[in-house]
Amino acid sequence: DVKVTQSSRYLVKRTGEKVFLECVQDMDHENMFWYRQDPGLGLRLIYFSYDVKMKEKGDIPEGYSVSREKKERFSLILESASTNQTSMYLCASRPSRGKNSGANVLTFGAGSRLTVL
Amino acid sequence: AQKITQTQPGMFVQEKEAVTLDCTYDTSDPSYGLFWYKQPSSGEMIFLIYQGSYDQQNATEGRYSLNFQKARKSANLVISASQLGDSAMYFCAMREGAYNTDKLIFGTGTRLQVFP
């Protein structure tokens, strides 16, 4: 019944390493999102995508990039990991917002906890 | 400036009592949506309730209701008859942005603990 799958639940990386966080959804959703969650700061939006090969910066895109080559997959890339990127990363998806739609709820993955040493 | 403000980092409530979790928001867009999510210790985000800015009535979903006061820009979550399983982090969120490229902005969360 899992609908949004994040490939790694826990990762430990070293400073300067390139890190890929993968997210796959099987609901044919157009929109996908990457958030990071830190205690006391809530969820902050890093990047989102509303179509294949399309991406939009969120509130904290610095130090991150994304890739969406296929509709079902949205990857978050840390080109050179730093200790301040130690965090929980949450991927989410939802269908595109129809004109009559209301809630259009996000479905979240289980999260990827990244530790950068 | 914070667009979603949750001023209560932590709340305690006794089982079977009602509890209100506060949320205020800031937007100049006349069309917006407000959401509440629950995050138990297992980490998954669970959608609870939604309120659209044009909805005339307050949203309700089982034991959850949203006290929507548009003029005050508040969207408080009310949980009636609290259960031990309600212990979790609760996040308020607001949808903002243009049609089809809109995004959800979250508050910092409130940790609710229900005691017997």
Side-chain angles (χ1 to χ4, degrees), chain B residues 1 4 7-8 18 21 45 50 52 58 63-64 85-86 96 104 109:
Chain B
I4 291 283
T7 56
Q8 307 154 315
L21 306 184
M45 294 285 284
Y50 166 79
N58 286 347
R63 294 185 301 110
Y64 304 108
D86 293 334
E96 68 165 16
L104 221 54

Side-chain angles (χ1 to χ4, degrees), chain A residues 9 31 33 35 37 40-43 45 48 50 57 59 90 94 96-99 102-106 108 110, chain B residues 31 35 37 39 42-45 47 50 89 91 95-109:
Chain A
R9 193 81 169 94
N31 296 2
F33 303 78
Y35 289 88
Q37 181 179 3
L41 297 177
L43 280 74
L45 183 63
F48 63 110
Y50 52 89
K57 291 181 180 179
D59 297 316
L90 292 168
R94 66 160 194 228
S96 62
R97 193 166 141 218
K99 289 184 178 177
N104 204 10
V105 173
L106 283 179
F108 282 85
Chain B
S31 176
F35 299 75
Y37 279 83
Q39 187 182 44
S42 54
E44 76 269 30
M45 294 285 284
F47 165 72
Y50 166 79
M89 281 291 288
F91 292 98
R95 181 182 64 223
E96 68 165 16
Y99 166 73
N100 239 14
T101 61
D102 55 339
K103 57 191 180 182
L104 221 54
I105 304 297
F106 284 82
T108 53

